Amino acid sequence: NTIIIASSHVVRARCLIAHPQTLPALFGLFRQGFLPRDTHIVGYARTKMDQAEFEKRATSNIKGADDPETANQIEAFKQRLSYVSGGYEDGESFDKLNTHLQEIESHYQSKECNRIFYLALPPTVFIPVSQHIKEHCYVSKGGVNRIIIEKPFGKDLESARHLLLDETFRIDHYLGKEMVKNLLVLRFANVAMGACWDKNYISNVQITFKEPFGTEGRGGYFDEFGIIRDVIQNHLLQVLTILTMERPDIRDEKVKVLRSIPPVEKEDTLLGQYVSANGKPGYLDDHTVPPNSVCPTYAATTLWIHNPRWEGVPFILKAGKALNEAKVEVRIQFKDVTQGIFKDIARNELVIRIQPSEAVYLKMNAKTPGLYTRAIPTEMDLTYKRRFTEAKIPEAYESLILDTLRGDHSNFVRHDELDYAWKIFTPILHWIDGKNGQRPKPSPYPYGSRGPKELDGFIKKYGYKRADDA
Ligand code: BG6
């Protein structure tokens, strides 16, 4: 295999090649023995640099390099690396890349050479670069070609349609996260879970993404996209589809769920933007953000799935920057106990914490120990660090790059899936962008807070009950 990483990031940040996690992930696969022996990694970007400089940059994000064993492995990994500089628009540069690839492959034992092209590039050059790659760099016999691209996959339904290339692996790195992959096992390998996984037992579901930092110099990109395009339309929607689809085939079933979700309504959406607090800058204080921008850095939005399993259950997706903590979780709240002697008690909740500190816990009621019968809320707790003490949880990119090496598409975004995902969000995004009138003003929230003050009321509206509401 030859993995070609075409990147624009080398020129933007001094020490980065491609996504900061791509090369560490390849190194992770290498050290665990998952990179087949004849596998070489070629960096390709406009910046001119020699082999030594490339090796330095390519390994600069690897953690634990001061450990002697890791340092030895890094040295061995460097033997797999090389670099070609070239443009994105001219065929000659891609011919040069192809000659370099042929030279490497002439040393491989197998004559079947696969080439994987990882485009860590702005979407504006996806199309011309893929065309050049197809024309100048595809292996034509005895091997396969694969192209990996990363979001943003367009800005709305129409712009995404230009990107519907075939043979592409569209990465949504949430699909490589351990706990997102675990959702399938929790649902389909447990009779007890499967039995209550529908509108008869579940009252509401929240999928939450919280980050404790703001845009911090990334405001140029962020302001053009906003929080819905940045994480909700892709990462959180992926979690929702896996949570709600029928038994796999995974890609077909995910599409069926998306087709059952109508476009988000503005009445079901809450927008926020962080302001300066506790010495931390507000969104508008970031010099890369246009003055007076009304771009939302927080959004909560409720989706409805119109199918027999989920009719009437609200799915609240909420995401924000500059909040009080780092956390991504799914919170499934079950309905009230309505009959028998136990009333006014807390609801069951199943919480799947995707990060940090992966965990699954079920909030349930148990009898208070003692000579009288009273129910108190308690938890059945599966925190991974405690239960799987020896396990190394793979990085999302390790898992997804390995899938690409194996040619397994199941954890990548299919073109029709992308189309339906945009259909759900395009009208609300056009409203936020002010396409048909004034742009809505987001509600301000202090840096480091839980989000806009309207949040608790918003969630309550969809039936969420806190334990102390019982
Ligand atoms: C990216 C977004 O897709 O996901 C970032 O562009 C966000 O804004 C990141 O910070 C979150 O990824 P993770 O793996 O840190 O949860």
Side-chain angles (χ1 to χ4, degrees):
N1 298 302
T2 316
I3 303 171
I4 301 97
I5 304 185
S7 168
S8 63
H9 299 233
V10 266
V11 287
R12 279 202 241 140
R14 277 196 59 238
C15 59
L16 297 188
I17 299 279
H19 188 284
Q21 288 168 27
T22 313
L23 275 145
L26 282 163
F27 174 70
L29 292 175
F30 168 74
R31 78 189 309 184
Q32 294 169 80
F34 283 110
L35 270 197
R37 197 184 44 196
D38 280 344
T39 300
H40 198 90
I41 298 155
V42 180
Y44 180 85
R46 286 177 297 196
T47 312
K48 290 201 171 26
M49 68 182 126
D50 60 15
Q51 176 72 18
E53 176 65 16
F54 177 66
E55 285 176 7
K56 198 172 115 204
R57 293 192 191 197
T59 53
S60 64
N61 276 323
I62 296 173
K63 291 194 190 110
D66 40 3
D67 161 58
E69 203 191 320
T70 309
N72 281 341
Q73 286 164 335
I74 291 178
E75 285 313 305
F77 181 63
K78 285 179 180 170
Q79 310 298 313
R80 307 284 192 106
L81 302 175
S82 62
Y83 182 76
V84 175
S85 80
Y88 304 139
E89 309 283 344
D90 63 306
E92 274 167 36
S93 294
F94 288 91
D95 279 334
K96 188 170 94 177
L97 174 62
N98 191 42
T99 311
H100 181 83
L101 300 178
Q102 284 169 340
E103 155 60 20
I104 292 168
E105 289 162 353
S106 67
H107 301 291
Y108 287 175
Q109 283 185 354
S110 162
K111 288 296 147 228
E112 268 202 11
C113 299
N114 304 322
R115 292 183 180 176
I116 298 171
F117 299 88
Y118 193 126
L119 309 193
L121 296 170
T124 43
V125 297
F126 281 168
I127 305 263
V129 169
S130 331
Q131 273 157 359
H132 279 307
I133 286 174
K134 278 186 190 169
E135 251 172 66
H136 300 270
C137 301
Y138 261 24
V139 277
S140 50
K141 51 176 189 272
V144 295
N145 302 286
R146 300 190 176 119
I147 294 185
I148 307 180
I149 58 174
E150 290 222 43
K151 76 174 226 313
F153 308 130
K155 286 188 76 179
D156 56 13
L157 186 59
E158 210 195 313
S159 52
R161 284 199 167 147
H162 294 297
L163 291 172
L164 300 181
L165 313 161
D166 45 359
E167 293 152 0
T168 340
F169 284 72
R170 286 179 207 83
I171 283 203
D172 183 310
H173 76 285
Y174 268 59
L175 292 175
K177 288 191 187 267
E178 185 69 12
M179 291 309 269
V180 176
K181 293 174 105 173
N182 191 19
L183 291 174
L184 285 185
V185 182
L186 288 177
R187 288 193 55 199
F188 297 117
N190 293 299
V191 173
M193 291 287 164
C196 52
W197 211 260
D198 62 28
K199 63 179 184 202
N200 297 318
Y201 298 94
I202 293 179
S203 158
N204 60 80
V205 177
Q206 292 179 60
I207 305 176
T208 307
F209 170 102
K210 294 171 87 176
E211 268 182 350
F213 45 84
T215 48
E216 266 113 78
R218 221 174 133 234
Y221 154 81
F222 190 87
D223 202 82
E224 203 187 317
F225 287 85
I227 193 77
I228 294 185
R229 288 187 180 94
D230 194 38
V231 295
I232 296 185
Q233 182 267 355
N234 33 61
H235 305 329
L236 300 196
L237 190 63
Q238 285 293 348
V239 174
L240 177 137
T241 52
I242 298 176
L243 207 62
T244 55
M245 68 180 201
E246 299 301 315
R247 204 170 278 279
D249 183 296
I250 180 166
R251 302 222 293 171
D252 288 344
E253 292 306 329
K254 276 164 70 186
V255 169
K256 282 189 205 155
V257 171
L258 293 174
R259 281 169 50 186
S260 322
I261 304 177
V264 171
E265 300 281 345
K266 44 181 195 241
E267 291 69 28
D268 282 331
T269 305
L270 166 68
L271 302 174
Q273 187 186 82
Y274 64 91
V275 294
S276 154
N278 306 318
K280 296 283 195 177
Y283 180 65
L284 297 180
D285 300 324
D286 181 335
H287 67 278
T288 54
V289 167
N292 305 322
S293 166
V294 285
C295 174
T297 60
Y298 185 98
T301 178
T302 302
L303 271 54
W304 305 90
I305 304 175
H306 294 305
N307 69 16
R309 183 187 286 276
W310 296 116
E311 196 67 58
V313 179
F315 288 83
I316 307 161
L317 309 190
K318 32 199 236 302
K321 299 258 171 200
L323 296 176
N324 58 337
E325 59 181 342
K327 189 161 78 183
V328 180
E329 68 169 31
V330 175
R331 185 170 294 264
I332 297 166
Q333 186 170 69
F334 291 88
K335 293 192 167 174
D336 286 319
V337 171
T338 50
Q339 285 170 10
I341 52 169
F342 297 111
K343 296 214 178 84
D344 302 329
I345 52 172
R347 287 177 168 182
N348 289 140
E349 268 181 35
L350 178 68
V351 182
I352 301 157
R353 192 161 63 225
I354 296 172
Q355 64 192 39
S357 181
E358 291 79 355
V360 181
Y361 56 94
L362 177 65
K363 294 192 175 195
M364 54 187 286
N365 296 300
K367 179 180 163 307
T368 328
L371 289 174
Y372 45 87
T373 297
R374 205 170 65 199
I376 50 154
T378 178
E379 282 170 11
M380 270 192 351
D381 184 357
L382 170 60
T383 296
Y384 271 43
K385 271 200 197 108
R386 282 204 293 270
R387 180 66 186 83
F388 304 111
T389 43
E390 301 296 312
K392 176 197 173 293
I393 298 197
E395 296 296 331
Y397 280 89
E398 285 176 2
S399 162
L400 294 174
I401 293 174
L402 187 60
D403 284 348
T404 323
L405 284 165
R406 292 172 171 162
D408 180 354
H409 271 93
S410 18
N411 287 312
F412 292 82
V413 186
R414 201 165 74 183
H415 66 91
D416 49 347
E417 186 181 353
L418 182 60
D419 213 72
Y420 284 114
W422 277 122
K423 275 189 185 148
I424 297 170
F425 284 99
T426 294
I428 193 88
L429 286 165
H430 282 178
W431 173 66
I432 294 170
D433 291 345
K435 283 237 152 64
N436 316 310
Q438 272 223 321
R439 297 188 67 179
K441 248 181 109 66
S443 166
Y445 62 95
Y447 195 120
S449 67
R450 289 177 56 239
K453 57 183 181 319
E454 298 85 350
L455 177 62
D456 286 337
F458 181 84
I459 303 168
K460 210 168 172 178
K461 186 168 97 178
Y462 299 103
Y464 179 72
K465 268 195 200 172
R466 291 155 55 103
D468 43 20
D469 293 338

